[in-house]
């Protein structure tokens, strides 16, 4: 693939920075740092443009906090002005980062999210005997900066743009020259881009006709003999990227159920996983409680409930969802 140039100037164009600021502020307009930025919007945009053009922009230390989902994650959220720069960079370079992705890669791509990945996983599970599931130990913390910088240099040709990527990477590390901070937009795109090389090597082998990746969650389908060969190849490819596959991967028969993206995928159905069910119940109860105590408006309640149900409706769990609604209504009526 030819290296791409002529992008750096587009990043610090005022129109791009303005659009990036509005994107970065989405859902956060009530925060003081966002209010302060927009209070002097034109001056801040001009200042950012000048600093980026001259190479003088420097990223600040991110804000660290813990978030509980299926497990406790450490989030490193950029300050708002850094968030604007992250959005500005991705608005310009995102399509180039994505251009080398295979069709079976689903994260950070418009129209190719979790639900599309699950639909293809169900199709492959229905048509296959066995699966192999791979994910990497502490993936974001393990991304090697030198490997990523080399891959970026093979995709982009402008030194000024590569220097900006270097600043993004050098502004935070989990260990010396390793790691991407969970919470930054650039981390999502760079983390997805980092594994394009893994995808390409696996597909070039001719062993992975049925393959799906959503960020660092990877599933391959085939016979036991094929998966034995694929396992050896996967271990080799991950070592080249300085990554470690958790427990050597999970290898099982499809009728046992494939755990993927919070669901269990069977040949004939998709069920919401146990942890995802608990998380759904908890979020649903919280929303109803917030509405009952007037902490959120009716319109916001409807919007958040729609979003909550839209995700779980991928599963064939209609009876369970109705049971949750009935149980919650009984609780509030009582």
């Amino acid at each position: 693939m030819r290296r791409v140039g002529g992008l750096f100037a587009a990043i610090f164009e005022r129109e791009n920075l303005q659009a990036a600021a509005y994107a970065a502020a989405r859902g956060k307009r009530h925060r003081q740092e966002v209010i302060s930025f927009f209070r002097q919007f034109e001056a801040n945009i001009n200042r950012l443009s000048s600093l980026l053009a001259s190479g003088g922009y420097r990223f600040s230390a991110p804000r660290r906090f813990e978030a509980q989902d299926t497990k406790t994650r450490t989030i490193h959220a950029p300050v708002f002005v850094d968030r604007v720069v992250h959005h500005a960079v991705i608005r310009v370079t995102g399509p180039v980062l994505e251009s080398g992705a295979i069709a079976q890669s689903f994260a950070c791509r418009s129209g190719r999210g979790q639900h599309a990945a699950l639909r293809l996983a169900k199709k492959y599970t229905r048509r296959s005997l066995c699966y192999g599931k791979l994910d990497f130990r502490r993936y974001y913390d393990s991304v090697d900066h030198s490997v990523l910088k080399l891959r970026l240099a093979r995709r982009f040709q402008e030194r000024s743009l590569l220097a900006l990527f270097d600043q993004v990477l050098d502004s935070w590390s989990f260990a010396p020259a390793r790691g991407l901070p969970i919470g930054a937009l650039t981390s999502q795109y760079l983390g997805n881009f980092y594994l394009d090389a893994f995808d390409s090597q696996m597909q070039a082998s001719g062993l992975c006709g049925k393959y799906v990746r959503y960020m660092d969650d990877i599933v391959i389908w085939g016979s036991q003999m094929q998966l034995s060969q694929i396992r050896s190849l996967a271990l080799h490819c991950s070592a080249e990227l300085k990554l470690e596959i958790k427990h050597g991967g999970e290898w099982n028969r499809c009728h046992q159920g494939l755990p993927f993206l919070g669901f269990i995928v069977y040949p004939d159905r998709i069920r919401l996983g146990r942890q995802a069910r608990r998380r759904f119940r908890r979020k649903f109860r919280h929303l109803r409680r917030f509405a009952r105590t007037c902490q959120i408006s009716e319109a916001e309640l409807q919007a958040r409930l729609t979003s909550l149900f839209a995700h779980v409706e991928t599963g064939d769990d209609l009876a369970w969802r109705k049971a949750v609604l009935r149980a919650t209504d009984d609780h509030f009526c009582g």
Side-chain angles (χ1 to χ4, degrees), residues 146-285:
S146 61
V147 174
L148 180 52
K149 288 177 181 180
L150 180 61
R151 296 208 63 240
L152 288 167
R154 290 173 178 170
R155 186 62 56 89
F156 301 97
Q157 63 181 222
E158 293 172 279
R159 291 184 180 180
S160 49
L161 176 56
L162 293 172
L164 182 57
F165 274 124
D166 286 350
Q167 287 185 44
V168 170
L169 294 173
D170 296 342
S171 64
W172 185 89
S173 61
F174 174 75
R178 293 180 78 90
L180 298 172
I182 298 175
L185 180 66
T186 49
S187 296
Q188 298 175 39
Y189 280 81
L190 293 176
N192 203 35
F193 170 73
Y194 191 78
L195 287 176
D196 283 354
F198 186 92
D199 296 340
S200 299
Q201 289 188 64
M202 296 298 287
Q203 289 217 323
S205 70
L207 297 171
C208 302
K210 299 172 185 174
Y211 180 98
V212 170
R213 178 170 71 82
Y214 189 90
M215 195 54 74
D216 64 319
D217 287 325
I218 300 168
V219 188
I220 308 151
W221 291 262
S223 67
Q224 287 182 316
M225 183 177 295
Q226 287 174 317
L227 292 178
S228 177
Q229 295 175 290
I230 288 168
R231 183 178 184 275
S232 299
L233 176 62
L235 291 170
H236 172 74
C237 294
S238 60
E240 287 189 345
L241 291 172
K242 302 183 181 181
L243 299 172
E244 179 186 354
I245 296 174
K246 288 182 186 176
H247 312 300
E250 177 184 329
W251 311 87
N252 210 338
R253 292 181 177 272
C254 291
H255 74 266
Q256 297 287 345
L258 158 66
F260 187 49
L261 303 180
F263 291 81
I264 309 296
V265 183
Y266 296 94
D268 60 341
R269 66 195 187 282
I270 300 178
R271 305 296 300 273
L272 196 62
R274 184 178 300 175
Q275 287 186 328
R277 289 188 179 206
R278 285 200 296 264
R279 188 165 63 250
F280 176 87
R281 288 192 193 98
R282 185 175 65 249
K283 290 182 177 179
F284 185 67
R285 286 196 300 266

Side-chain angles (χ1 to χ4, degrees), residues 280-289 292 305 309 321-334:
F280 176 87
R281 288 192 193 98
R282 185 175 65 249
K283 290 182 177 179
F284 185 67
R285 286 196 300 266
H286 287 173
L287 285 176
R288 294 292 295 269
R289 190 174 298 114
R292 192 181 185 191
L305 284 175
F309 274 90
R321 294 196 297 271
K322 288 181 176 179
V324 172
L325 286 169
R326 285 196 302 270
T328 307
D329 287 339
D330 292 344
H331 170 75
F332 277 94
C333 289

